[in-house]
Amino acid sequence: MRNAFISGLVTLAETNNDIFLLTGDLGFGVLDEFIEKFPNRYINTGIAEQNMASVAAGLAMNGKIVFIYSIANFPTMRCLEQIRNDIAYHNANVKIVTVGGGFAYGPAGITHHGTEDLAIMRVIPNMNIFIPCDPISAKQAAKDACNIKGPCYVRLERGGEPIVFALDKEFHLGSLNRLKKGSKFAIISVGSVINEVLEASCQLKHDFNLDVSVYSIYTLKPINAEQVLDIASKHDYIITVEEHNIIGGLGSVVCEIVAGSDVSVKVIRLGLKDEFSSVVGSQQYLRKVYGLSSEAIESKVEDLL
């Protein structure tokens, strides 16, 4: 996913001299192509993410389109004040790109688990939030974030994620992309955990002859509330699945939309239940620990049948 995003950014930078890339002393190998082609538009700020955010804001206020890049929590939580006051308050054209969303850096422990970022970024005014689920959507996110005049948060994972969408897939800001059509249950997800959802949907068809609707969200903010309500009106249950705390992320977004309507639907949120991901292990292992594996998703649907 991260390689596809940077590849897309390099393509954009070839025809737009205003694109700059800043990193917090990482990404070597992944960022090499950009560094080699545009050395005068690349800055390694060192392990100083707060400074990186402020430098990015300054460049943006001088007409540049600035992408900052670091791991999971570092360019978000570590420099939240700079994001709020220097970037978002001025609607500066800065794109905050994190790699390692959710449990992607599972063996590195809680300091590298991005499980509160969506809630934090979503509450900041002017912020747009992209959550690609595969290399195709990641590459498109680079283009769409670049075209938005204002701050964006792009949540990438580490790499090696399976391709979900066709090469010619069209993505629209706010839209939910339907991958499977069913009834009674609609499962909505963000990020590559969609693969667990898809596997669970196959097992539900095999074990119970049950077709469930499956949706992947491309942008959490903006989000098409009318589409969410349309999905809610056609199903008895909506299950949200996210590698994130259930507070403030995808589940909260769906609940907020439904609560403000006359639509009657039961919303079930799967994610971290107001806890730290204190266990260490691979992304796949942590999904099992915290109830986000395909088996856990199928079991939740089975319980509701």
Side-chain angles (χ1 to χ4, degrees):
M1 195 183 294
R2 60 184 178 182
N3 290 334
F5 182 89
I6 296 301
S7 174
L9 184 60
V10 167
T11 299
L12 293 167
E14 287 174 345
T15 57
N16 190 332
N17 293 329
D18 288 332
I19 292 177
F20 275 66
L21 174 62
L22 279 59
T23 183
D25 202 32
L26 57 85
F28 309 111
V30 177
L31 306 181
D32 282 354
E33 185 179 6
F34 190 101
I35 296 169
E36 291 169 3
K37 289 188 174 183
F38 317 109
N40 294 328
R41 288 189 271 148
Y42 165 78
I43 302 173
N44 181 355
T45 64
I47 305 175
E49 289 83 3
Q50 293 166 322
N51 185 52
M52 178 170 67
S54 293
V55 169
L59 286 167
M61 297 298 283
N62 282 277
K64 307 305 179 184
I65 304 170
V66 190
F67 289 76
I68 63 177
Y69 179 93
S70 190
I71 292 177
N73 303 323
F74 304 150
T76 52
M77 298 183 196
R78 182 172 290 173
C79 48
L80 180 58
E81 182 181 5
Q82 286 72 26
I83 291 172
R84 178 182 183 270
N85 296 347
D86 297 349
I87 295 174
Y89 180 69
H90 297 285
N91 202 34
N93 211 1
V94 176
K95 322 303 172 181
I96 303 153
V97 182
T98 63
V99 60
F103 302 134
Y105 279 98
I110 186 176
T111 57
H112 288 58
H113 296 173
T115 53
E116 301 87 21
D117 55 325
L118 298 179
I120 293 168
M121 290 295 103
R122 189 168 75 90
V123 77
I124 297 176
N126 295 328
M127 187 65 67
N128 301 273
I129 300 176
F130 291 83
I131 316 175
C133 71
D134 75 341
I136 305 300
S137 53
K139 191 168 186 176
Q140 183 63 37
K143 180 178 179 181
D144 287 341
C146 189
N147 288 336
I148 291 175
K149 190 170 183 179
C152 296
Y153 176 54
V154 184
R155 189 201 214 214
L156 303 175
E157 295 180 34
R158 193 170 182 178
E161 298 83 8
I163 291 177
V164 174
F165 295 109
L167 287 171
D168 59 351
K169 166 68 180 175
E170 291 187 7
F171 295 92
H172 302 283
L173 302 184
S175 293
L176 288 75
N177 299 291
R178 190 175 69 190
L179 296 169
K180 285 193 173 185
K181 183 179 181 180
S183 60
K184 195 174 179 69
F185 295 92
I187 308 178
I188 304 175
S189 181
V190 291
S192 74
V193 76
I194 189 66
N195 295 287
E196 302 288 347
V197 173
L198 289 170
E199 186 175 341
S201 70
C202 291
Q203 282 301 119
L204 286 165
K205 177 65 174 177
H206 178 270
D207 296 341
F208 303 99
N209 195 31
L210 176 66
D211 290 309
V212 299
S213 298
V214 175
Y215 292 86
S216 175
I217 288 185
Y218 177 57
T219 59
L220 191 63
K221 186 182 179 184
I223 188 169
N224 188 328
E226 290 184 1
Q227 189 180 6
V228 173
L229 292 176
D230 182 63
I231 294 168
S233 69
K234 295 175 180 176
H235 299 83
D236 297 332
Y237 296 91
I238 291 178
I239 300 175
T240 61
V241 182
E242 56 191 318
E243 283 186 33
H244 187 272
N245 196 304
I246 60 171
I247 298 174
L250 169 63
S252 290
V253 173
V254 172
C255 286
E256 290 163 12
I257 292 171
V258 170
S261 75
D262 296 325
V263 177
S264 178
V265 66
K266 181 73 172 179
V267 180
I268 309 295
R269 297 173 295 163
L270 299 184
L272 273 82
K273 295 173 176 58
D274 193 22
E275 61 184 315
F276 289 111
S277 52
S278 56
V279 178
V280 173
S282 69
Q283 185 175 34
Q284 200 69 28
Y285 174 72
L286 292 179
R287 286 176 178 174
K288 292 181 180 179
V289 170
Y290 293 105
L292 296 172
S293 65
S294 60
E295 295 85 359
I297 297 167
E298 181 187 12
S299 177
K300 176 57 69 174
V301 174
E302 183 181 355
D303 290 344
L304 296 170
L305 284 173

